[in-house]
PDB file of all heavy atoms in Angstrom:
ATOM      1  N   ASP A 167      55.531  94.603  73.915  1.00 86.00           N
ATOM      2  CA  ASP A 167      55.185  95.281  72.665  1.00 86.00           C
ATOM      3  C   ASP A 167      55.946  96.573  72.465  1.00 86.00           C
ATOM      4  O   ASP A 167      56.091  97.049  71.361  1.00 86.00           O
ATOM      5  CB  ASP A 167      53.686  95.668  72.682  1.00 86.00           C
ATOM      6  CG  ASP A 167      52.839  94.491  73.059  1.00 86.00           C
ATOM      7  OD1 ASP A 167      53.237  93.369  72.704  1.00 86.00           O
ATOM      8  OD2 ASP A 167      51.804  94.706  73.733  1.00 86.00           O
ATOM      9  N   ASN A 168      56.388  97.164  73.553  1.00 90.00           N
ATOM     10  CA  ASN A 168      56.891  98.529  73.425  1.00 90.00           C
ATOM     11  C   ASN A 168      58.347  98.624  73.873  1.00 90.00           C
ATOM     12  O   ASN A 168      58.709  99.456  74.695  1.00 90.00           O
ATOM     13  CB  ASN A 168      55.990  99.445  74.280  1.00 90.00           C
ATOM     14  CG  ASN A 168      55.971 100.843  73.722  1.00 90.00           C
ATOM     15  OD1 ASN A 168      56.743 101.154  72.804  1.00 90.00           O
ATOM     16  ND2 ASN A 168      55.125 101.685  74.286  1.00 90.00           N
ATOM     17  N   VAL A 169      59.164  97.749  73.322  1.00 95.00           N
ATOM     18  CA  VAL A 169      60.569  97.700  73.734  1.00 95.00           C
ATOM     19  C   VAL A 169      61.304  98.905  73.152  1.00 95.00           C
ATOM     20  O   VAL A 169      61.217  99.159  71.951  1.00 95.00           O
ATOM     21  CB  VAL A 169      61.213  96.378  73.251  1.00 95.00           C
ATOM     22  CG1 VAL A 169      62.709  96.409  73.431  1.00 95.00           C
ATOM     23  CG2 VAL A 169      60.612  95.200  74.004  1.00 95.00           C
ATOM     24  N   PRO A 170      62.005  99.696  73.982  1.00 96.00           N
ATOM     25  CA  PRO A 170      62.732 100.855  73.458  1.00 96.00           C
ATOM     26  C   PRO A 170      63.831 100.444  72.478  1.00 96.00           C
ATOM     27  O   PRO A 170      64.335  99.320  72.541  1.00 96.00           O
ATOM     28  CB  PRO A 170      63.347 101.481  74.715  1.00 96.00           C
ATOM     29  CG  PRO A 170      62.612 100.893  75.863  1.00 96.00           C
ATOM     30  CD  PRO A 170      62.153  99.548  75.426  1.00 96.00           C
ATOM     31  N   ASN A 171      64.209 101.386  71.591  1.00 96.00           N
ATOM     32  CA  ASN A 171      65.307 101.095  70.645  1.00 96.00           C
ATOM     33  C   ASN A 171      66.597 100.827  71.419  1.00 96.00           C
ATOM     34  O   ASN A 171      67.365  99.931  71.077  1.00 96.00           O
ATOM     35  CB  ASN A 171      65.543 102.280  69.717  1.00 96.00           C
ATOM     36  CG  ASN A 171      64.310 102.591  68.916  1.00 96.00           C
ATOM     37  OD1 ASN A 171      63.453 101.722  68.748  1.00 96.00           O
ATOM     38  ND2 ASN A 171      64.206 103.822  68.446  1.00 96.00           N
ATOM     39  N   VAL A 235      67.620 105.606  77.826  1.00 96.00           N
ATOM     40  CA  VAL A 235      66.442 105.006  77.190  1.00 96.00           C
ATOM     41  C   VAL A 235      66.138 105.813  75.941  1.00 96.00           C
ATOM     42  O   VAL A 235      66.012 107.035  76.003  1.00 96.00           O
ATOM     43  CB  VAL A 235      65.198 105.042  78.113  1.00 96.00           C
ATOM     44  CG1 VAL A 235      64.034 104.307  77.456  1.00 96.00           C
ATOM     45  CG2 VAL A 235      65.498 104.427  79.468  1.00 96.00           C
ATOM     46  N   VAL A 236      66.063 105.153  74.787  1.00 96.00           N
ATOM     47  CA  VAL A 236      65.680 105.824  73.545  1.00 96.00           C
ATOM     48  C   VAL A 236      64.453 105.102  73.018  1.00 96.00           C
ATOM     49  O   VAL A 236      64.514 103.893  72.748  1.00 96.00           O
ATOM     50  CB  VAL A 236      66.832 105.774  72.501  1.00 96.00           C
ATOM     51  CG1 VAL A 236      66.415 106.495  71.222  1.00 96.00           C
ATOM     52  CG2 VAL A 236      68.110 106.360  73.070  1.00 96.00           C
ATOM     53  N   GLY A 237      63.348 105.821  72.871  1.00 94.00           N
ATOM     54  CA  GLY A 237      62.103 105.202  72.407  1.00 94.00           C
ATOM     55  C   GLY A 237      61.385 104.524  73.556  1.00 94.00           C
ATOM     56  O   GLY A 237      61.740 104.701  74.727  1.00 94.00           O
ATOM     57  N   GLY A 238      60.359 103.757  73.245  1.00 91.00           N
ATOM     58  CA  GLY A 238      59.575 103.080  74.282  1.00 91.00           C
ATOM     59  C   GLY A 238      58.560 104.027  74.904  1.00 91.00           C
ATOM     60  O   GLY A 238      58.434 105.176  74.481  1.00 91.00           O
ATOM     61  N   PRO A 239      57.832 103.544  75.906  1.00 93.00           N
ATOM     62  CA  PRO A 239      56.762 104.354  76.499  1.00 93.00           C
ATOM     63  C   PRO A 239      57.306 105.492  77.362  1.00 93.00           C
ATOM     64  O   PRO A 239      58.472 105.483  77.744  1.00 93.00           O
ATOM     65  CB  PRO A 239      56.016 103.338  77.366  1.00 93.00           C
ATOM     66  CG  PRO A 239      57.017 102.297  77.669  1.00 93.00           C
ATOM     67  CD  PRO A 239      57.974 102.236  76.533  1.00 93.00           C
ATOM     68  N   ASP A 240      56.448 106.455  77.667  1.00 93.00           N
ATOM     69  CA  ASP A 240      56.813 107.517  78.606  1.00 93.00           C
ATOM     70  C   ASP A 240      56.548 107.034  80.021  1.00 93.00           C
ATOM     71  O   ASP A 240      55.563 106.341  80.266  1.00 93.00           O
ATOM     72  CB  ASP A 240      55.940 108.753  78.352  1.00 93.00           C
ATOM     73  CG  ASP A 240      56.342 109.434  77.054  1.00 93.00           C
ATOM     74  OD1 ASP A 240      57.524 109.309  76.669  1.00 93.00           O
ATOM     75  OD2 ASP A 240      55.472 110.061  76.428  1.00 93.00           O
ATOM     76  N   PHE A 241      57.422 107.437  80.939  1.00 93.00           N
ATOM     77  CA  PHE A 241      57.173 107.123  82.346  1.00 93.00           C
ATOM     78  C   PHE A 241      57.072 108.408  83.121  1.00 93.00           C
ATOM     79  O   PHE A 241      57.732 109.382  82.785  1.00 93.00           O
ATOM     80  CB  PHE A 241      58.335 106.341  82.974  1.00 93.00           C
ATOM     81  CG  PHE A 241      58.835 105.221  82.148  1.00 93.00           C
ATOM     82  CD1 PHE A 241      60.118 105.261  81.615  1.00 93.00           C
ATOM     83  CD2 PHE A 241      58.041 104.119  81.906  1.00 93.00           C
ATOM     84  CE1 PHE A 241      60.588 104.227  80.853  1.00 93.00           C
ATOM     85  CE2 PHE A 241      58.509 103.081  81.147  1.00 93.00           C
ATOM     86  CZ  PHE A 241      59.784 103.137  80.613  1.00 93.00           C
ATOM     87  N   PHE A 242      56.274 108.374  84.175  1.00 97.00           N
ATOM     88  CA  PHE A 242      56.155 109.562  85.019  1.00 97.00           C
ATOM     89  C   PHE A 242      56.623 109.295  86.436  1.00 97.00           C
ATOM     90  O   PHE A 242      56.903 110.212  87.177  1.00 97.00           O
ATOM     91  CB  PHE A 242      54.712 110.065  85.003  1.00 97.00           C
ATOM     92  CG  PHE A 242      54.287 110.404  83.596  1.00 97.00           C
ATOM     93  CD1 PHE A 242      53.552 109.513  82.840  1.00 97.00           C
ATOM     94  CD2 PHE A 242      54.712 111.593  83.024  1.00 97.00           C
ATOM     95  CE1 PHE A 242      53.221 109.810  81.526  1.00 97.00           C
ATOM     96  CE2 PHE A 242      54.379 111.902  81.712  1.00 97.00           C
ATOM     97  CZ  PHE A 242      53.629 111.005  80.955  1.00 97.00           C
ATOM     98  N   GLN A 246      56.543 103.216  87.878  1.00 97.00           N
ATOM     99  CA  GLN A 246      56.155 102.820  86.513  1.00 97.00           C
ATOM    100  C   GLN A 246      57.368 102.260  85.756  1.00 97.00           C
ATOM    101  O   GLN A 246      57.254 101.294  85.013  1.00 97.00           O
ATOM    102  CB  GLN A 246      55.644 104.030  85.722  1.00 97.00           C
ATOM    103  CG  GLN A 246      54.239 104.451  86.066  1.00 97.00           C
ATOM    104  CD  GLN A 246      53.875 105.772  85.382  1.00 97.00           C
ATOM    105  OE1 GLN A 246      54.707 106.422  84.747  1.00 97.00           O
ATOM    106  NE2 GLN A 246      52.611 106.152  85.524  1.00 97.00           N
ATOM    107  N   PHE A 250      57.621  98.585  84.143  1.00 97.00           N
ATOM    108  CA  PHE A 250      57.948  98.374  82.737  1.00 97.00           C
ATOM    109  C   PHE A 250      59.166  97.451  82.594  1.00 97.00           C
ATOM    110  O   PHE A 250      59.166  96.521  81.783  1.00 97.00           O
ATOM    111  CB  PHE A 250      58.229  99.724  82.064  1.00 97.00           C
ATOM    112  CG  PHE A 250      58.667  99.578  80.640  1.00 97.00           C
ATOM    113  CD1 PHE A 250      57.764  99.204  79.657  1.00 97.00           C
ATOM    114  CD2 PHE A 250      60.001  99.776  80.271  1.00 97.00           C
ATOM    115  CE1 PHE A 250      58.173  99.038  78.340  1.00 97.00           C
ATOM    116  CE2 PHE A 250      60.414  99.610  78.965  1.00 97.00           C
ATOM    117  CZ  PHE A 250      59.493  99.243  77.990  1.00 97.00           C
ATOM    118  N   VAL A 251      60.173  97.701  83.423  1.00 97.00           N
ATOM    119  CA  VAL A 251      61.381  96.863  83.361  1.00 97.00           C
ATOM    120  C   VAL A 251      61.003  95.406  83.658  1.00 97.00           C
ATOM    121  O   VAL A 251      61.531  94.470  83.053  1.00 97.00           O
ATOM    122  CB  VAL A 251      62.466  97.409  84.325  1.00 97.00           C
ATOM    123  CG1 VAL A 251      63.631  96.443  84.456  1.00 97.00           C
ATOM    124  CG2 VAL A 251      62.976  98.755  83.843  1.00 97.00           C
ATOM    125  N   GLU A 253      58.048  94.147  82.924  1.00 96.00           N
ATOM    126  CA  GLU A 253      57.314  93.639  81.750  1.00 96.00           C
ATOM    127  C   GLU A 253      58.241  93.213  80.624  1.00 96.00           C
ATOM    128  O   GLU A 253      57.935  92.282  79.875  1.00 96.00           O
ATOM    129  CB  GLU A 253      56.380  94.735  81.203  1.00 96.00           C
ATOM    130  CG  GLU A 253      55.076  94.855  81.962  1.00 96.00           C
ATOM    131  CD  GLU A 253      54.415  96.200  81.683  1.00 96.00           C
ATOM    132  OE1 GLU A 253      54.622  96.761  80.586  1.00 96.00           O
ATOM    133  OE2 GLU A 253      53.714  96.686  82.584  1.00 96.00           O
ATOM    134  N   ILE A 254      59.378  93.904  80.470  1.00 96.00           N
ATOM    135  CA  ILE A 254      60.252  93.524  79.348  1.00 96.00           C
ATOM    136  C   ILE A 254      61.167  92.349  79.706  1.00 96.00           C
ATOM    137  O   ILE A 254      61.993  91.948  78.901  1.00 96.00           O
ATOM    138  CB  ILE A 254      61.067  94.723  78.800  1.00 96.00           C
ATOM    139  CG1 ILE A 254      61.949  95.351  79.883  1.00 96.00           C
ATOM    140  CG2 ILE A 254      60.133  95.753  78.168  1.00 96.00           C
ATOM    141  CD1 ILE A 254      62.826  96.490  79.364  1.00 96.00           C
TER     142      ILE A 254
END
Side-chain angles (χ1 to χ4, degrees):
D167 310 327
N168 208 352
V169 169
N171 300 338
V235 185
V236 181
D240 288 332
F241 314 114
F242 301 98
Q246 283 172 354
F250 176 72
V251 171
E253 279 162 29
I254 59 177

